[in-house]
Every structure is written in C-alpha cells, then in structure tokens.
Amino acid sequence: MSWKKFGLSIIFICVLVLAFMRIDFSNMTLVHWRDLQHIVSGLMQPEWTYLYDGSQEDLLSLMIETINIAFFGTVLGSVLAFPLALLASKRIIGRKLQSLSSVIKGFFAFLRAIPALIYGILFVRIVGPGPFAGALALSIQVVGMVGKLVAEACDQIEGQPIEAFEASGASVWQVFQYAKLPQIMAKTFTYILTHFEINVRSATVLGLVGAGGIGAPIIFALQQRDWSKVSIILLSIIVVVLLIDYLNAILRHKLK
C-alpha cells in the first residue's frame, strides 16, 4: 500500500470515529420493546379496506395522484433541463462560450443544493396547496440533476464522428444533429427515467407540506399510531416503485 492510500485510509478512519463520537446513543436506554412489538404487529396487518373506497381519498386515488405529480414534474423539468444542459457543455457550444457553460453549471449546482421539500413549501406558498405545487417543486430538482448529468454526457461525446462530418463539409446544425445528438440521447432518456422513479418517492414526501399525493395520509397515520394504515401505504409505495423500476429496466434495455 502506498503512503497516499495509507494516509487516506487513516483520514477515513478518523472521520468515521469522530462521527460516531458525535452521536448521542443515550436514547437507546429509552427504547420500549413492548411499543416496538406493537408497531411491528400493526405493520403486519395492513388495512386493506383503505385500498379503495370510491371517496377519492383512498389509497389508489392518492397513489395515482402521486404518480401524476412525479410524471408531470419529471417531464417539465426535463424539457427545461435539456437545452440548458447543451449550453452548459463546452463540447456543444465551443470554447468561446466557456463562461456561459460555467454559469449554467453553477446554476445547476444551486438548484441541486436545495431539498425538494423546501421547494415544496415555497411553491405551496406561491401557487397554493395541491398537486401542481408538488409537480413544480420536483421539476426544479429535475432541472438541477438531469441538467448536470446531460451536460457531463455531452462533454464526453467522441470526437471522431464530429471530425468526419466536419471534414465532409457539414454545417454546424448537421454536425450537431447527426454526430453529437445521437451520442447523448440514450443516456438522456436513461437519466429521465431514473429520475422519474426517484420523483415518485419524493412526491410521497411532498404531501407532508400540502403539495398533494400520499404524503399527508402517511403523516396523519403515523401521528395517530394507525400502524395498519401505515403498513398498506408503505406496501403500495414499495409495489409502485418496484413496478416503475421494472418498466424502466425494460425501456433502458430497448434504448441500448
């Protein structure tokens, strides 16, 4: 092992030890095993009657609303992110506009630094509570994340196809359309699909601040210690995420 690796290992171990030292484990003595047993027992008995009752406040209706929030937020964010990502790539816009590229990449970093929950609170205040506020919050997050990833994909495109088209006398637009764009589209769709799956999980949290979806029933059920309802909600989220992940895997395979 080199001295550099040895030094990094020592630093990592020191940081890990300090992190554990800063955590207060005294609350472990307050754990009530009977309460834990009660929670586990409730979670093992899902409230199936909450699945659908035609009230529009049942689990099925709210999960569909959650998926709609995630879908709209992903589409809107991706539409906004793609052109900005092209402008953020030096391989796309050229070296003469490097300052513009740096500014846009900094803008992406700024958007990513703020949690989706904060965006949710802001948009609930701006446009009022409901699914639209949640979708707008997720779209801002998508702009920051997908924009960064697509810009990096643009920076990594191969130069040989570009040089071949330029040597044949192709215009700037033709070089972009036939040599640059095909190299990034598959990755772009992969990033979008992945963030749709992430947004489904994020949309469940945004409901806590009034941004629609299944989040509000979760927090109400937790506050009321209604573990059976918590169980059926968590099961539905797991099933939906697994199903979306399966469909994404099929689509990603077809895009290769």
Side-chain angles (χ1 to χ4, degrees):
M1 180 184 293
S2 65
W3 284 106
K4 184 177 181 180
K5 292 182 178 179
F6 178 76
L8 291 174
S9 300
I10 295 298
I11 293 173
F12 174 77
I13 293 173
C14 291
V15 171
L16 187 64
V17 171
L18 288 173
F20 273 92
M21 290 176 63
R22 297 292 296 177
I23 298 175
D24 184 8
F25 293 98
S26 60
N27 286 339
M28 292 295 295
T29 59
L30 302 177
V31 175
H32 298 286
W33 296 107
R34 183 173 297 178
D35 292 340
L36 180 61
Q37 183 180 4
H38 176 68
I39 292 172
V40 173
S41 176
L43 291 175
M44 296 298 291
Q45 302 176 33
E47 186 179 330
W48 297 106
T49 56
Y50 181 59
L51 192 61
Y52 179 76
D53 57 17
S55 65
Q56 300 300 313
E57 294 295 331
D58 53 72
L59 181 58
L60 181 61
S61 301
L62 293 174
M63 278 306 303
I64 292 174
E65 183 177 270
T66 301
I67 295 171
N68 288 338
I69 293 171
F71 181 77
F72 181 82
T74 304
V75 172
L76 178 60
S78 300
V79 170
L80 296 174
F82 188 74
L84 290 174
L86 297 180
L87 295 174
S89 172
K90 298 174 183 177
R91 292 296 299 272
I92 299 296
I93 64 175
R95 296 185 177 275
K96 295 182 179 180
L97 297 175
Q98 286 187 7
S99 58
L100 176 61
S101 171
S102 300
V103 169
I104 296 177
K105 286 182 178 178
F107 177 64
F108 288 153
F110 172 78
L111 295 180
R112 295 195 309 274
I114 301 175
L117 195 61
I118 302 300
Y119 286 125
I121 295 173
L122 293 175
F123 280 113
V124 165
R125 182 68 176 174
I126 295 170
V127 302
F132 185 54
L136 290 177
L138 293 179
S139 68
I140 299 298
Q141 282 268 292
V142 171
V143 171
M145 291 302 301
V146 173
K148 171 185 181 294
L149 295 173
V150 174
E152 291 178 349
C154 292
D155 288 337
Q156 297 172 1
I157 59 177
E158 297 180 4
Q160 292 181 347
I162 299 173
E163 294 172 358
F165 273 92
E166 290 176 342
S168 65
S171 65
V172 174
W173 171 250
Q174 288 174 328
V175 171
F176 171 74
Q177 183 178 3
Y178 297 109
K180 296 179 179 180
L181 197 60
Q183 294 190 56
I184 62 174
M185 289 310 298
K187 289 184 178 179
T188 298
F189 281 115
T190 298
Y191 297 146
I192 293 172
L193 291 172
T194 300
H195 278 82
F196 172 60
E197 177 187 334
I198 294 172
N199 280 346
V200 171
R201 293 194 294 269
S202 298
T204 63
V205 179
L206 290 177
L208 302 178
V209 296
I214 198 68
I218 291 177
I219 192 64
F220 291 150
L222 288 169
Q223 290 174 344
Q224 297 170 3
R225 307 294 194 270
D226 190 349
W227 305 117
S228 296
K229 182 174 286 188
V230 172
S231 176
I232 190 64
I233 294 174
L234 292 178
L235 282 175
S236 68
I237 294 172
I238 293 171
V239 170
V240 168
V241 170
L242 289 176
L243 181 60
I244 292 174
D245 181 63
Y246 175 72
L247 295 175
N248 283 351
I250 294 175
L251 292 173
R252 286 194 294 266
H253 179 72
K254 292 183 178 296
L255 289 173
K256 291 182 179 180

